[in-house]
Amino acid sequence: EFPHSPLLIMAPQPSKDLGKSAGKAAVRSKIPPDQLLWYEKVSLVAGSTMMIVLLPFVGTIVGSAVLWDALDRGFMGRPLDGILMTSATKFNDLTHDFNKKFVKNSEDSYMVNTVILLGIVIPSCWLYCLYSTLTHGFSPLLCFAYHVFRIGPYFMNFAYVYTLCHKEGHTRLGLWRPEYKFLNNIFNWWIGLFYGVLPSSFAYGHSINHHKYNNGPYDVVTTSDKPRDNFRNFLCYLPRWFGYASNITTTIQFYKEGNLQIALKMVTGSLYFLSFACLVSFLSPIFAFWYVLFPMGENVLLLACVNWCWHAFLSPDDPEDEFVGSITIFDGPINVLHEDYHVVHHQYPGAHWTKHPDLYKKHEKTGEYADHVATMFRNTHAFEMFFLIILREYDQMAEKFYDPKDKLSHDEKKELIKKRLRTCWWGPRANLNIKLQGKEIGNLMDGRPNVDSKKTD
């Protein structure tokens, strides 16, 4: 009955009969929302163990990076207003005319400096730490300093690595000009090695699976089977994200769907990362653990938080409602390459980041965001929203909720937020107001990286 096995997502081949209209009969939950099935209890133990092991280290490093930014701006203003980030922006402006020669879109000229920092400086620091470990033994202080520098002030290096791995994965024709096409996969296949990214996870696992099923039952990182305003449910979710981040569940899913070519590409990316880890482990096991495997654990914990936030809300009347199912954030302090327009990203997966504001305005002018009472917030960011969600801070979320028609009262916003956080699309807690007919496994999107020409008129 349920498409997910106890620990892995091993779905049968999806039906090709998609897109039928929904019926009127409601889908009722088969178990109390707080009850866990036996395999969910196994996931809870696994997720709790991951949290207990990772949180002290990841939290200390991320907290230090946030403190770094606060010190840089003298504890005044908003995040990233300090000397370092301001100087970086000015340097990108100064080098724009020269750097734009290397990229297809002139607005991506910053990538040249980004590659120098993340693809040369960070790996050079990594090599120095390896040399120091082999020569003088493992130094916890050096390891800590490296990781704080690696993720950057307010973890901006981390944010840009994953955002650019994401953008690169959606742009199969590449972001660089033809004469520099050797750089087309540099974020996923080189820089990502130092940030726990397994090649193929973004290019295939994310762009094809996630964007095909859009948080539905056959999405390997779906959040829609449990209420999201529950920290215990997030702990149960961590093993699911690990399965995706390690390319395990996506490989299985593609194989079961008969997409053997993509499954093989997933295996290739996994073997590439595994070979790198084994080579480093041969030189120094403790170094491999802290400098290769630890960043992958960091990936699992932090990106699981982000995805839990991006797809925390569902419409009980239509789980495919893209304006509700993905969030939009305005005036956020860390809106890296307009990732906060997440509805736009799911509507136009291959659109260049500079087009996101205009694509939002296109649908905003037609009244679609207002008519759907889209899930929109102001003056926040993904990590803050994650904590507001799991801590059930409905009042704060209601204060930040943006209602274009300005018709909802504070209490009505709270109730709307609660309802959307607790709506479950599939599984034993499914509680939709409709009977699914053809929407059982996801929507009609095929995960193509390019923008649908019909949507860009």
Side-chain angles (χ1 to χ4, degrees), residues 40-109:
E40 294 175 317
K41 294 178 181 178
V42 175
S43 294
L44 176 60
V45 172
S48 298
T49 302
M50 294 166 66
M51 179 66 73
I52 291 169
V53 171
L54 290 171
L55 184 60
F57 301 103
V58 175
T60 300
I61 290 167
V62 171
S64 299
V66 172
L67 177 61
W68 179 7
D69 173 73
L71 290 170
D72 183 49
R73 54 188 168 84
F75 295 92
M76 296 183 294
R78 300 181 69 183
L80 312 181
D81 285 346
I83 297 173
L84 277 175
M85 295 307 298
T86 302
S87 299
T89 300
K90 289 182 178 179
F91 184 72
N92 284 336
D93 292 339
L94 288 172
T95 56
H96 171 75
D97 288 340
F98 177 78
N99 289 345
K100 69 181 182 181
K101 305 173 187 175
F102 299 91
V103 293
K104 290 181 177 179
N105 190 309
S106 63
E107 295 299 322
D108 290 331
S109 63

Side-chain angles (χ1 to χ4, degrees), residues 19-25 27 316-320 432-440:
K20 295 178 181 177
S21 60
K24 295 182 180 179
V27 178
D317 299 313
D318 183 0
E320 287 190 318
L432 304 173
N433 292 337
I434 58 172
K435 182 179 179 181
L436 295 174
Q437 294 181 8
K439 295 186 177 183
E440 294 89 344

Side-chain angles (χ1 to χ4, degrees), residues 112-127:
V112 176
N113 297 330
T114 303
V115 166
I116 293 172
L117 172 62
L118 303 177
I120 298 177
V121 175
I122 295 297
S124 297
C125 294
W126 185 91
L127 286 172

Side-chain angles (χ1 to χ4, degrees), residues 366-384:
T366 63
E368 291 173 275
Y369 280 87
D371 292 342
H372 288 256
V373 193
T375 305
M376 299 187 286
F377 298 90
R378 288 191 179 279
N379 299 312
T380 186
H381 56 80
F383 287 105
E384 181 182 44

Side-chain angles (χ1 to χ4, degrees), residues 15-204:
S15 166
K16 297 183 183 299
D17 186 17
L18 298 175
K20 295 178 181 177
S21 60
K24 295 182 180 179
V27 178
R28 299 303 179 193
S29 175
K30 296 184 173 108
I31 64 172
D34 291 334
Q35 179 181 333
L36 293 180
L37 300 176
W38 72 266
Y39 59 84
E40 294 175 317
K41 294 178 181 178
V42 175
S43 294
L44 176 60
V45 172
S48 298
T49 302
M50 294 166 66
M51 179 66 73
I52 291 169
V53 171
L54 290 171
L55 184 60
F57 301 103
V58 175
T60 300
I61 290 167
V62 171
S64 299
V66 172
L67 177 61
W68 179 7
D69 173 73
L71 290 170
D72 183 49
R73 54 188 168 84
F75 295 92
M76 296 183 294
R78 300 181 69 183
L80 312 181
D81 285 346
I83 297 173
L84 277 175
M85 295 307 298
T86 302
S87 299
T89 300
K90 289 182 178 179
F91 184 72
N92 284 336
D93 292 339
L94 288 172
T95 56
H96 171 75
D97 288 340
F98 177 78
N99 289 345
K100 69 181 182 181
K101 305 173 187 175
F102 299 91
V103 293
K104 290 181 177 179
N105 190 309
S106 63
E107 295 299 322
D108 290 331
S109 63
Y110 70 92
M111 287 199 309
V112 176
N113 297 330
T114 303
V115 166
I116 293 172
L117 172 62
L118 303 177
I120 298 177
V121 175
I122 295 297
S124 297
C125 294
W126 185 91
L127 286 172
Y128 172 78
C129 293
L130 174 61
Y131 168 78
S132 177
T133 300
L134 295 176
T135 306
H136 306 292
F138 177 76
S139 168
L141 183 60
L142 179 63
C143 182
F144 168 75
Y146 165 78
H147 284 305
V148 173
F149 179 69
R150 176 180 60 85
I151 69 171
Y154 215 89
F155 49 87
M156 275 299 98
N157 292 349
F158 175 93
Y160 268 91
V161 167
Y162 279 93
T163 299
L164 285 166
C165 282
H166 183 203
K167 301 299 186 188
E168 189 178 77
H170 278 293
T171 313
R172 296 179 191 172
L173 298 178
L175 298 168
W176 305 83
R177 290 196 175 186
E179 55 267 39
Y180 306 106
K181 64 181 180 181
F182 63 90
L183 294 171
N184 275 341
N185 294 303
I186 191 169
F187 290 99
N188 281 282
W189 288 80
W190 170 243
I191 294 172
L193 289 175
F194 305 96
Y195 289 83
V197 178
L198 269 69
S200 301
S201 62
F202 279 100
Y204 305 108

Side-chain angles (χ1 to χ4, degrees), residues 69 84 110 146 192 196 212 248 296 312 323 384-385 420:
D69 173 73
L84 277 175
Y110 70 92
Y146 165 78
K212 180 176 182 179
I248 295 172
M296 184 179 176
F323 296 97
E384 181 182 44
M385 282 299 304
R420 290 179 174 181

